[in-house]
C-alpha cells in the first residue's frame, strides 16, 4: 500500500472517521481499551473502532472488530490478562463487502469462566499485523451462580450526539463500573433517521456541541450511510470501553431503519428521503446492524434477530423482534393484529415452556402496556389505548400471555426501553379486562444518550399499574439535564431471588424491587 502522510484534522473530518471514510483514512482511534499509542503506521492494518463480544453461551462467544483495509482478523484467548498461555483463532478476511467489519466465533471454552481476548488484523500477505486491542467476557455458567445483567436502549437520538466537552456518553462508563455479566441492548442502537447538527442551544444559554461525521449529517439511505450510524457511536471512549468489557445480546427496533417503520410502508410524508420504500431501506439497515454487532449466525438463524440464550440455571434470555413481522401501524383496532408474527409468537411460547431456568427474561424492543402512538392516528406498539377486550396487536399478546398461564410457565419478566424514561409496571388479571393470564412485571429503562420523554399513558386492557416512574418535566430533555437511565438485574445464585434496580446515568439506584421466585 502506498505510504501516506498523517492526515490533517480537516481530512479526517471529510473522511468521516466512519464507514468507508475510516477505511480510506486508516485512522487509529485514540482511547480505545487496549489500544497502542495513536501513531498511525501506514504499512500495517489498523483496528479502527474497538472490539466487542456478544451472544455468549456456556462454551462460546462472538468477538467483533473492524479493520481499515482487507485483512484477516485473529483472536487470541487466555484465562488471564497477561496472555501467557493463549489459543489462537483465525477469523474471516474483512473487506469492503462488510464495511471492514468481521466476527470471530470462539468455541470450546469452559463454562462460567472469564475469558480475555486480544484481537489483531493480519495483512493478507502475512507479513504485518495491526497493534492489538483487548477485551474480556465471561462464558455463561451451567449451574447456580450470582448473575448481574444490565439493560437499556436509545443511543444518539433527537440530535443529542457525542459532546466531548461534557465528557461524551458517560453513562456507558457508569454501566461498565457496575461490572455486569451481560448487557441486553433493547433496540434503537442508532438513530439512522435522526441527523445531527453541530450545535444545539440548551435552556439558560448553554450549548451542546456534537461530534460530527458526514453520515450523521443526513438521514441514512445507502448501506454505507447505515454503517456510518453504528460507527459513530464507537467514536465515544466510554462506549468503546463498555463494549470491550461487557458482552451484549443486541436487538433492533425502528430507528435502525426509520422512525415507526413497518414492512411495506411508503415514506410519502418524509421529503428528506429520496428512497421512499421501507422494503428497500430495511435490508440495508439490517445488513449494517448485523455487521456492526457481535451476533452469532448460529443463534440468529437465517439472520433473524429473535433468539434465546441460557445463562446458568437461574436465567434464560428471550430476545424478541417486534419490528420485522408486524402489520401496518393502523388505527383500525377491530381486527386481530401482529407485533411478533405467528412464527415468532409460537417460538416464544414454546421456548418459554421448554425452559427450566428459574427466571425467563423477555428482552422486548417495545413496551407492551404503554400507548405509543404513530401520528396521526396509528398505533406504533402493542397497546391501543382502548379499554375492554384486546384489539389489534393486543390479541396476539393476549394469546402469548394466555398460553404462558395455561402451560404454567412461572417467573416471566419483561424488559424494554423505547419510550425514553424508566418505569416499573405490574400487570394483574385482577385489574384487567381479561383474567386468563398470570401476574407479571415489566421494567422499562432508557435512554442511554438521547432526548428524554414521557411518561406515556398506560392501556388498561391487561391491568397494568405504574409502581414507579422517573420521567423528565419537558419533552426532549437533553442528556445534559439528566433523565438518562439503565436497568440492572441481580440474581442470587443460591436462592434464585431477583433484585431489580432502575438507575440513573451516574449508576445511582432510583428504585429497587426484590422478587421471590415461584416454584414451577
Amino acid at each position: 500500500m502506498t505510504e501516506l502522510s498523517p492526515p490533517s484534522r480537516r481530512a479526517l473530518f471529510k473522511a468521516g472517521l466512519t464507514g468507508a471514510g475510516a477505511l480510506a483514512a486508516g485512522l487509529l482511534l485514540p482511547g480505545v481499551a487496549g489500544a497502542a499509542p495513536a501513531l498511525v503506521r501506514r504499512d500495517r492494518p489498523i483496528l479502527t473502532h474497538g472490539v466487542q463480544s456478544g451472544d455468549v453461551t456456556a462454551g462460546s462467544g462472538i468477538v467483533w472488530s473492524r479493520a481499515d483495509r482487507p485483512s484477516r482478523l485473529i483472536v487470541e484467548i487466555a484465562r488471564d490478562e497477561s496472555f501467557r498461555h493463549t489459543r489462537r483463532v483465525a477469523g474471516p478476511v474483512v473487506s469492503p463487502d462488510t464495511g471492514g467489519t468481521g466476527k470471530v466465533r470462539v468455541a470450546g471454552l469452559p463454562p462460567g469462566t472469564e475469558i480475555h481476548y486480544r484481537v489483531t488484523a493480519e495483512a493478507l500477505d502475512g507479513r504485518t499485523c495491526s497493534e492489538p486491542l483487548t477485551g474480556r467476557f465471561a462464558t455463561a455458567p451451567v449451574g447456580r451462580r450470582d448473575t448481574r445483567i444490565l439493560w437499556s436502549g436509545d443511543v444518539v437520538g433527537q440530535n443529542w450526539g457525542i459532546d466531548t466537552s461534557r465528557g461524551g456518553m458517560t453513562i456507558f462508563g457508569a454501566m461498565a463500573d457496575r461490572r455486569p455479566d451481560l448487557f441486553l441492548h433493547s433496540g434503537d442502537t442508532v438513530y439512522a433517521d435522526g441527523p445531527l447538527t453541530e450545535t444545539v442551544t440548551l435552556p439558560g444559554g448553554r450549548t451542546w456541541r456534537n461530534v460530527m461525521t458526514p453520515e450523521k449529517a443526513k438521514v441514512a439511505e445507502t448501506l454505507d450511510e447505515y454503517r456510518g450510524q453504528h460507527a459513530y457511536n464507537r467514536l465515544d471512549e466510554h462506549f468503546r470501553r463498555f463494549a470491550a468489557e461487557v458482552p451484549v445480546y443486541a436487538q433492533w427496533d425502528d430507528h435502525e431503519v426509520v422512525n415507526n417503520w413497518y414492512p411495506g410502508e411508503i415514506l410519502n410524508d418524509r421529503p428528506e428521503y429520496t428512497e421512499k420504500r421501507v422494503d428497500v431501506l430495511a435490508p440495508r439497515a439490517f445488513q449494517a446492524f448485523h455487521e456492526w454487532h457481535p451476533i452469532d449466525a448460529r443463534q440468529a438463524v437465517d439472520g433473524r434477530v429473535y433468539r434465546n440464550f441460557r445463562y446458568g440455571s437461574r436465567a434464560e434470555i428471550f430476545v424478541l423482534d417486534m419490528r420485522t413481522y408486524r402489520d401496518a401501524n393502523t388505527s383500525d383496532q377491530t381486527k386481530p393484529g401482529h407485533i411478533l408474527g405467528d412464527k415468532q409468537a409460537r417460538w416464544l411460547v414454546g421456548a418459554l415452556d421448554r425452559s427450566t431456568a428459574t427466571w425467563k427474561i423477555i428482552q422486548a424492543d417495545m413496551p407492551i402496556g404503554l400507548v405509543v402512538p404513530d401520528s396521526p392516528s396509528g398505533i406504533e406498539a402493542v397497546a391501543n389505548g382502548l379499554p375492554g377486550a384486546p384489539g389489534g396487536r393486543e390479541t396476539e399478546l393476549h394469546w402469548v400471555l394466555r398460553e404462558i398461564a395455561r402451560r404454567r410457565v412461572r417467573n416471566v419478566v419483561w424488559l424494554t426501553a423505547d419510550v425514553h424514561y424508566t418505569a416499573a409496571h405490574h400487570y394483574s388479571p385482577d385489574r384487567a379486562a381479561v383474567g386468563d393470564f398470570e401476574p407479571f412485571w415489566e421494567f422499562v429503562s432508557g435512554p442511554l444518550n438521547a432526548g428524554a420523554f414521557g411518561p406515556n399513558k398506560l392501556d388498561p386492557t391487561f391491568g397494568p399499574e405504574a409502581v414507579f416512574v422517573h420521567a423528565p418535566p419537558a419533552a426532549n430533555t437533553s442528556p445534559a439535564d439528566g433523565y438518562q437511565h439503565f436497568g440492572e438485574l441481580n440474581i442470587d445464585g443460591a436462592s434464585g431471588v431477583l433484585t431489580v434496580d432502575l438507575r440513573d446515568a451516574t449508576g445511582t439506584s432510583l428504585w429497587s424491587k426484590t422478587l421471590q421466585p415461584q416454584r414451577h
Side-chain angles (χ1 to χ4, degrees):
M1 191 169 185
T2 304
E3 188 76 6
L4 300 176
S5 59
S8 68
R9 295 171 68 93
R10 181 179 298 274
L12 290 179
F13 174 79
K14 288 183 177 180
L17 313 184
T18 60
L23 194 66
L27 174 70
L28 177 63
L29 295 173
V32 181
L39 294 175
V40 178
R41 290 191 58 179
R42 297 300 183 172
D43 59 346
R44 62 171 63 188
I46 297 165
L47 298 175
T48 59
H49 289 78
V51 293
Q52 188 168 30
S53 65
D55 279 17
V56 295
T57 69
S60 68
I62 303 297
V63 174
W64 174 96
S65 193
R66 180 187 180 278
D68 71 332
R69 68 199 71 183
S71 50
R72 183 178 298 279
L73 290 185
I74 305 295
V75 174
E76 296 171 279
I77 60 171
R79 297 284 289 270
D80 63 88
E81 57 189 349
S82 71
F83 290 95
R84 284 175 294 187
H85 303 286
T86 65
R87 175 157 69 93
R88 186 177 186 269
V89 181
V93 171
V94 300
S95 72
D97 290 343
T98 59
T101 65
K103 292 178 276 191
V104 182
R105 184 174 185 268
V106 182
L109 303 176
T113 302
E114 184 172 77
I115 302 297
H116 294 264
Y117 62 89
R118 183 165 58 195
V119 183
T120 54
E122 185 178 81
L124 296 183
D125 62 8
R127 298 176 61 184
T128 60
C129 65
S130 70
E131 296 289 348
L133 299 182
T134 60
R136 67 170 184 253
F137 65 88
T139 52
V142 294
R144 299 180 178 183
R145 199 190 76 175
D146 295 350
T147 301
R148 175 168 292 173
I149 300 171
L150 306 186
W151 88 93
S152 190
D154 316 311
V155 187
V156 185
Q158 292 75 48
N159 204 15
W160 308 113
I162 301 167
D163 184 344
T164 55
S165 70
R166 299 179 183 276
M169 298 195 291
T170 58
I171 191 170
F172 285 96
M175 291 195 297
D177 289 342
R178 297 298 302 163
R179 297 283 295 187
D181 297 294
L182 290 172
F183 176 58
L184 312 183
H185 203 312
S186 299
D188 292 340
T189 57
V190 297
Y191 278 71
D193 58 338
L196 299 178
T197 59
E198 291 189 15
T199 61
V200 186
T201 301
L202 299 171
R206 299 168 296 157
T207 300
W208 181 280
R209 302 183 186 280
N210 285 316
V211 171
M212 293 296 297
T213 68
E215 294 91 340
K216 292 299 296 182
K218 68 176 293 291
V219 297
E221 298 178 84
T222 69
L223 175 57
D224 276 343
E225 287 169 350
Y226 279 113
R227 288 167 171 165
Q229 308 302 308
H230 297 276
Y232 179 87
N233 294 351
R234 295 175 187 272
L235 299 180
D236 181 79
E237 60 179 326
H238 306 290
F239 188 105
R240 295 195 305 274
R241 175 199 165 195
F242 184 70
E245 295 181 4
V246 184
V248 64
Y249 296 161
Q251 66 190 155
W252 76 341
D253 190 34
D254 57 333
H255 291 287
E256 286 83 357
V257 182
V258 60
N259 186 45
N260 294 357
W261 74 274
Y262 54 83
E265 184 180 10
I266 305 296
L267 304 175
N268 289 326
D269 59 343
R270 299 293 297 267
E272 66 271 35
Y273 283 88
T274 58
E275 174 55 70
K276 304 291 187 180
R277 298 165 295 174
V278 164
D279 287 355
V280 172
L281 296 174
R284 297 170 182 170
F286 188 77
Q287 178 176 337
F289 173 78
H290 278 269
E291 288 174 347
W292 283 83
H293 291 279
I295 295 174
D296 187 353
R298 299 190 184 196
Q299 295 293 119
V301 179
D302 298 326
R304 74 185 188 195
V305 173
Y306 70 87
R307 58 208 193 278
N308 59 306
F309 299 90
R310 185 65 179 263
Y311 205 85
S313 63
R314 293 302 189 188
E316 187 164 355
I317 317 298
F318 302 84
V319 186
L320 299 187
D321 180 354
M322 304 172 80
R323 184 60 52 182
T324 306
Y325 313 104
R326 63 169 54 205
D327 47 24
N329 295 348
T330 178
S331 59
D332 182 3
Q333 297 299 307
T334 62
K335 301 175 182 178
H338 296 283
I339 190 78
L340 299 173
D342 290 338
K343 183 178 179 180
Q344 184 180 189
R346 291 194 301 270
W347 164 84
L348 175 61
V349 169
L352 287 167
D353 189 25
R354 290 187 296 273
S355 177
T356 58
T358 303
W359 292 99
K360 292 85 173 170
I361 300 167
I362 298 178
Q363 181 182 339
D365 49 292
M366 298 208 74
I368 58 179
L370 290 172
V371 180
V372 184
D374 183 18
S375 182
S377 59
I379 297 297
E380 158 67 354
V382 178
N384 60 20
L386 302 175
R393 295 172 182 152
E394 292 174 339
T395 58
E396 186 173 69
L397 177 64
H398 181 214
W399 179 84
V400 170
L401 297 179
R402 186 174 64 241
E403 283 296 301
I404 290 173
R406 186 180 71 83
R407 302 183 190 207
R408 301 182 63 82
V409 178
R410 300 288 186 258
N411 307 319
V412 177
V413 173
W414 293 70
L415 305 180
T416 192
D418 185 68
V419 288
H420 295 229
Y421 67 97
T422 193
H425 302 145
H426 184 257
Y427 293 77
S428 173
D430 296 336
R431 298 186 294 265
V434 289
D436 51 357
F437 67 94
E438 296 291 329
F440 65 95
W441 285 89
E442 174 188 54
F443 299 106
V444 183
S445 200
L448 285 170
N449 193 87
F453 292 83
N456 290 41
K457 176 185 174 183
L458 274 170
D459 184 292
T461 298
F462 298 109
E465 176 187 7
V467 178
F468 174 80
V469 173
H470 190 248
N476 200 18
T477 295
S478 84
D481 294 320
Y483 297 98
Q484 308 290 294
H485 308 98
F486 65 93
E488 178 176 309
L489 306 180
N490 283 283
I491 304 174
D492 182 77
S495 66
V497 170
L498 170 64
T499 301
V500 184
D501 284 271
L502 302 179
R503 299 185 180 275
D504 68 12
T506 69
T508 300
S509 179
L510 304 174
W511 180 87
S512 183
K513 178 70 176 179
T514 297
L515 303 177
Q516 299 290 333
Q518 298 180 35
R519 292 186 178 182
H520 288 274

